[in-house]
Structure formats: C-alpha cells, structure tokens
Amino acid sequence: MKRIIAKKKYCWILIISIALLSNLSNLHAQSYKNAQHHQCLKCHSNQTYSFKNEVTNKEVKRLMNPYYILDTIAMSAGVHKGFDCTDCHSSEYQAYPHKSTLKLDPLSTCLDCHGGDEAFASYKFDKIQEEFKKSVHYKVYGDNFSCSKCHNQHTYVATARNSSNVLEIVDFDNKMCLSCHNDMKKYNLVAGHINPKLVQIHSWLPNQELHFSHVRCIECHTEVIDSLMVSHNILSKDKAVKKCVQCHSSDSKLKASLYKYQNLQKRSEKGFGSAILTNSSYTIGTHQSPTLKLLSIVIFLVTLGGIIIHSIFRILKK
Amino acid sequence: MSATHKIYFYPVWLRVWHAINALGILILIITGISMQSDMDSNVIGFNMTVNLHNIAGVVIFVSYFAFFIGNLVTNNGRFYLIKMKGFFKRPIKQGMFYVWGMFHGEKYPFPLSEKRKFNPLQKYFYVLVMYLAVPVVIVTGLALLFPEIIIDKVYGISGVFMTAILHSAMGFFISIFLIIHLYIASVGKSPLENYKSMITGWHHV
C-alpha cells in the first residue's frame, strides 16, 4: 500500500515538473507576444515610456529613441525567439534607469555563440568571418561593422535556406541591404558620406525594377565561392557583375548563388508542363529548356538534310 | 519553245517591304541565335547584340503594319485567302510534285497566273508565317521589351519565361521557314529566276 502511495506521489511530482517546464520554455516566446508584460519590451516596443523620476519625485513620460523600438511580432518569429534579452545584453539592464556606463560594455558577438560550435558547423561562420574581412564593408568600417548591421539579430529568419518562394527570399535579402543603402543616416554612419542614389547608379541595368525584385543585390555584388552559400565578401561597385551573360547563360552565375539553395533547385518541378519547360538556366529563349533545344537542333538538321537530298536529286535528274 | 509570259506580281511597295523585312528578319535571327548561345565574345558584344535585336524588332513591327495595310488596300491580300475546297488535297498535291512529280517530268500542278500568285502549299506557309508566327513574335517581342507588363505567374511558371519560350520558338519557326523559302525559290524556270523577280517585280510564267 505504501509503495502505491509513493508511486502516486512521484507521478504527481513528474506531472507538475513537466507542466512547469513546458510553461517555462514558452515563457520567452509568450513574453515577446505579450510585450506589455515583458520587463524590457513594455518600454522597448512602444513609442513612449514612463518612469518615476526619483530626484524630482515626478512621473515622467518620454519619447523612445526610434532605433531602440523593437518589432515584437517579427521578434517572436525570429531565429532567436527562444532567448531572452539578457542572454545577450547585460543583466544589469533589468534595472531602470539603466546605468549609463552599460552602453560602453561590449555586447556579446554572434561568433561568441555561433563560432567554433559543432551545432552550427554547416553554416561555416568562421569561413564567413574570413570572407567578410575581405569585403568593402570591413574595409570601410573595420570591426565596427558587426554581423547585425545586416542580419538583425532580433528579427532574423533564415529565409533563403527555408523558403521555396524566390521572390520572398529576394525581398527579405534585399531589405537587409536597403536598410542602410536606402537610409541616409545609417549609410552615413558607416561610409561617412551620404549614400549614392540607387536607381540612378543602376540606370545602366535593363529592366531595373524587374531585376531588383527577382534577384538579390548580392548576386552581382558578392564574390561567389563554392564552400559558402553567400561568401560575405561584398564587392565594391567597380568589381560588381555588369555583364548580362554572367547570369543569362547556361552557365549562369545564379546557379552558384541564388539557386545554390536546395530548397530552390527543385522549383521547376512545380507547375504544369514542367517536363518540357525545365527552367534550368537564365539563357535567353528556348535554349532554357534542354528538350526544346534538342528538338530545335533535330528540326534544323532534318530541314537541312531534306534540302541537300532534294538538291542532289535535282542535279541528278537535270 | 513557247513564248514566256510576264506578270507584274511584285509592285514597288511590296518589294521595298520584302527587302526591309528580309534584312530585319536576318538581323533578328542572327542576333537572336547569338543571344541564346551564351556568346559574349562575339564581334559586337552582348549589349550591342541586344540593342540591334531590339531595333530590328521595332523595324519589323512597323514594316508588318505596312504589309498588313498594303494587303488590305491593294489586291495583294486576296492571294492569301485559302479556299476550303480541297483544303488538304491541294497542298498535298503540290507537296507530291516537289518530292516526286518534278523529278518525273510532271507538269506544274498549279500554274501561276494573274489570279494565282502562290501555289497552295506556299500559300499555307505564307499565311502561317505572316498571320500567325510574325504577329506572335511581334507581340511577345514587345512584351519582352516591357517585361513588367507580363503576368508574373502562369500555372506556376514564370510569365516572362513562357513569353521568352514562345518568342524564340516562333522565331525558330520563322528561321526554318526562311531556309525553306530561300531554297524553294530556286525551284523556278531557272534557279535564279525567282530571286530576280523579287528585284524587278516581274515574274516569268
């Protein structure tokens, strides 16, 4: 009888523990969604914040610095949604007013977690760092150019690796570039001068709007290397791709960049008529499809053969 | 020897149109093949090839209007009308003449006259090319000049891709037509007779 009671007791402990643990694991995600109840986000997701000024003993309401306002919806969908603010930021931020010297403390960097970790080996973060150091970004801004300048750590989603929608990938990736290259203040911070006008500078590019929505900036502005999905060696303007055939050929550069992702390689299998219309490259015309290419060669040779045979008979029967 | 009878088949406007069309189509074929063959190292370069293709395309578009209106306002249009009587029989008969009859001394099955400028098989090909292939190649070509107007997806396949395929498939059909057209033109009273007709306007029957 005692044994049965003891067993029941352990059962209850187990059930309560599981319930508590599952609740705890949801705590952060839920807290991003319910920003008003999150200790940090109740201020950092709003345009304004209030606090009690203990010197004047008055309730004060102020505008939040727009760069410190976080998109909680995007955060709760981001790859770091399972983390809490103080996993990367100092735990001293839990106190308000924040200590002014906290700003000077170095933040945790991405490579503190991602570098040298077997779990992230396939992403080759160390190789990315090596390539990044050759890039125009590093040359201009040195170590101050952190990963988060492009990859917003609060909201980042691995879209290129997971989405099968090219347009979604292109839009997500290009927004990373445009967040600075289309923003005077942010561009000026890094480059030290106002940014050039993107539309004018790309005026040489035919069908500019179509290119901007269908391929990523990095397709032309990044060196392609086999071992990485994106080399991160962002090239300066004068070294960027400017020749149409580098993409519009059967040996298209896009195969080694945008269509390197497994999730996109099978895109041509979708939709009707895919057996004939395998969109294997950006070659112009019917040569995009190997079946049509072969068919056109056969028809051409048959026509030519017919003419030659007919001519021979004409000569013989003259 | 019977006296040769001359018919003025090709008025000046038609010959001018034909010459412009021939030159334009040749440029389009050469630049078109060049573009889809990944040739970056050709003589004039990729960008120039594209520009030349675009210019020749617009010229052909305008000249097609000249042809279309010319056929509406002159008698030339009636030569393109297909009779329903003997719809299959007549072109087959002409085809049989080309592959068999002409080598066995048979008479020309459809001798040309003021009323008949084209033999039935020739007429079918001209109608297919001028009233189907060329309009399609012009419409798809114009769409590719302004790709933002093309529907993004058609049954899950890129609209631009479908348009490009249709454009070059029709372009290919026109190229094959041109080869046959140039060859069959040599099957005349003498191999050069028909080529001369397209310059002088007179056809010897």
Side-chain angles (χ1 to χ4, degrees):
Chain A
M1 189 65 182
K2 263 185 185 176
R3 235 184 225 177
I4 294 167
I5 292 168
K7 261 188 181 175
K8 271 191 174 174
K9 198 172 144 189
Y10 286 128
C11 265
W12 276 112
I13 290 170
L14 194 67
I15 289 166
I16 290 165
S17 310
I18 290 169
L20 273 174
L21 275 172
S22 62
N23 208 28
L24 270 175
S25 65
N26 283 331
L27 209 61
H28 296 152
Q30 279 175 1
S31 63
Y32 286 152
K33 281 175 184 162
N34 299 304
Q36 294 311 316
H37 301 289
H38 189 283
Q39 198 189 355
C40 307
L41 294 178
K42 64 184 173 190
C43 290
H44 284 284
S45 66
N46 282 314
Q47 303 283 337
T48 57
Y49 63 102
S50 310
F51 66 99
K52 173 106 186 246
N53 184 335
E54 284 174 0
V55 180
T56 60
N57 205 27
K58 279 182 182 170
E59 196 70 25
V60 182
K61 193 177 183 186
R62 285 185 178 169
L63 280 172
M64 175 61 79
N65 178 338
Y67 290 103
Y68 295 156
I69 300 173
L70 296 164
D71 177 349
T72 53
I73 296 168
M75 271 179 92
S76 53
V79 285
H80 295 132
K81 63 185 173 192
F83 292 90
D84 205 356
C85 309
T86 49
D87 287 336
C88 300
H89 299 276
S90 166
S91 58
E92 289 184 69
Y93 273 111
Q94 283 171 323
Y96 192 86
H98 302 317
K99 246 169 61 184
S100 59
T101 51
L102 276 176
K103 278 184 185 175
L104 305 174
D105 286 353
L107 272 171
S108 302
T109 69
C110 303
L111 287 180
D112 287 343
C113 290
H114 291 287
D117 189 322
E118 276 304 304
F120 301 111
S122 65
Y123 291 83
K124 299 180 183 165
F125 282 105
D126 300 303
K127 178 74 181 162
I128 286 173
Q129 174 80 350
E130 191 185 301
E131 287 299 310
F132 160 70
K133 289 203 168 176
K134 297 176 196 165
S135 78
V136 66
H137 285 154
Y138 187 79
K139 278 175 194 155
V140 170
Y141 210 47
D143 287 325
N144 285 319
F145 201 102
S146 56
C147 310
S148 62
K149 284 276 182 291
C150 306
H151 305 278
N152 187 323
Q153 68 277 46
H154 294 118
T155 57
Y156 191 73
V157 180
T159 315
R161 283 176 186 265
N162 299 317
S163 173
S164 57
N165 183 344
V166 185
L167 298 183
E168 186 188 20
I169 294 173
V170 169
D171 182 59
F172 185 87
D173 275 35
N174 286 355
K175 273 180 183 156
M176 282 190 227
C177 306
L178 293 174
S179 70
C180 285
H181 285 266
N182 204 23
D183 184 306
M184 296 284 184
K185 288 175 201 158
K186 286 169 88 178
Y187 186 90
N188 197 8
L189 171 75
V190 173
H193 58 88
I194 288 170
N195 60 327
K197 290 187 171 74
L198 289 180
V199 173
Q200 278 95 325
I201 217 160
H202 289 93
S203 59
W204 65 273
L205 182 68
N207 306 315
Q208 193 188 102
E209 197 185 326
L210 213 64
H211 274 105
F212 281 6
S213 60
H214 284 75
V215 281
R216 301 173 299 178
C217 310
I218 56 171
E219 255 64 84
C220 300
H221 289 277
T222 309
E223 193 184 43
V224 168
I225 63 164
D226 292 338
S227 57
L228 289 175
M229 299 312 276
V230 176
S231 89
H232 287 69
N233 177 6
I234 311 294
L235 303 166
S236 56
K237 186 179 72 177
D238 50 309
K239 287 178 189 155
V241 170
K242 229 180 162 181
K243 279 188 175 172
C244 309
V245 277
Q246 283 190 266
C247 291
H248 293 284
S249 63
S250 54
D251 190 28
S252 176
K253 189 177 184 282
L254 294 177
K255 279 185 186 172
S257 53
L258 184 56
Y259 294 102
K260 204 175 190 177
Y261 294 99
Q262 291 281 329
N263 41 318
L264 286 185
Q265 281 174 5
K266 288 186 176 175
R267 76 188 186 118
S268 56
E269 289 171 13
K270 291 177 183 171
F272 106 110
S274 55
I276 295 173
L277 303 172
T278 44
N279 188 0
S280 63
S281 75
Y282 278 74
T283 320
I284 295 154
T286 41
H287 284 197
Q288 288 181 91
S289 156
T291 319
L292 290 179
K293 186 179 178 177
L294 182 70
L295 192 68
S296 64
I297 293 168
V298 169
I299 293 173
F300 176 72
L301 291 177
V302 167
T303 309
L304 217 59
I307 288 172
I308 292 168
I309 292 165
H310 201 263
S311 305
I312 292 168
F313 273 97
R314 276 172 71 190
I315 294 162
L316 291 176
K317 290 278 180 178
K318 210 172 180 181
Chain B
M1 196 178 162
S2 62
T4 54
H5 174 52
K6 286 202 297 184
I7 306 171
Y8 191 58
F9 264 155
Y10 314 108
V12 177
W13 76 266
L14 197 68
R15 278 179 283 152
V16 170
W17 166 78
H18 189 263
I20 294 170
N21 202 52
L23 189 68
I25 295 276
L26 272 175
I27 293 172
L28 287 169
I29 291 172
I30 294 164
T31 51
I33 291 171
S34 166
M35 276 192 282
Q36 64 175 17
S37 306
D38 318 347
M39 286 192 280
D40 186 36
S41 53
N42 67 14
V43 187
I44 56 169
F46 186 84
N47 288 0
M48 191 61 191
T49 310
V50 174
N51 287 339
L52 208 56
H53 194 83
N54 291 346
I55 295 164
V58 172
V59 169
I60 289 294
F61 172 46
V62 175
S63 94
Y64 183 77
F65 266 100
F67 167 81
F68 194 81
I69 293 164
N71 271 359
L72 279 181
V73 299
T74 68
N75 278 336
N76 196 56
R78 70 191 158 94
F79 297 121
Y80 291 84
L81 298 173
I82 292 173
K83 287 177 190 161
M84 291 317 285
K85 194 183 168 191
F87 187 80
F88 294 109
K89 215 174 162 185
R90 289 159 60 86
I92 289 169
K93 198 174 175 186
Q94 180 65 37
M96 286 306 291
F97 172 77
Y98 282 136
V99 297
W100 180 265
M102 66 180 277
F103 302 120
H104 293 84
E106 283 181 18
K107 278 193 170 178
Y108 206 72
F110 301 97
L112 303 187
S113 66
E114 275 85 354
K115 285 186 178 175
R116 188 192 289 133
K117 187 175 165 184
F118 310 134
N119 71 54
L121 192 63
Q122 189 181 11
K123 189 191 286 184
Y124 280 36
F125 270 101
Y126 285 8
V127 167
L128 273 178
V129 168
M130 292 314 298
Y131 290 103
L132 181 74
V134 173
V136 169
V137 103
I138 286 174
V139 170
T140 50
L142 285 174
L144 290 169
L145 266 182
F146 307 100
E148 59 278 2
I149 61 171
I150 299 173
I151 302 164
D152 206 42
K153 291 267 170 191
V154 183
Y155 293 103
I157 297 173
S158 155
V160 173
F161 172 69
M162 295 282 272
T163 314
I165 288 279
L166 194 59
H167 184 75
S168 50
M170 281 297 150
F172 174 75
F173 176 67
I174 294 169
S175 314
I176 292 294
F177 164 80
L178 179 68
I179 296 168
I180 298 169
H181 182 58
L182 283 171
Y183 175 69
I184 295 289
S186 74
V187 184
K189 278 201 174 295
S190 75
L192 293 175
E193 185 62 40
N194 286 331
Y195 303 116
K196 281 180 192 164
S197 297
M198 274 322 294
I199 297 166
T200 62
W202 291 95
H203 187 84
H204 291 263
V205 187

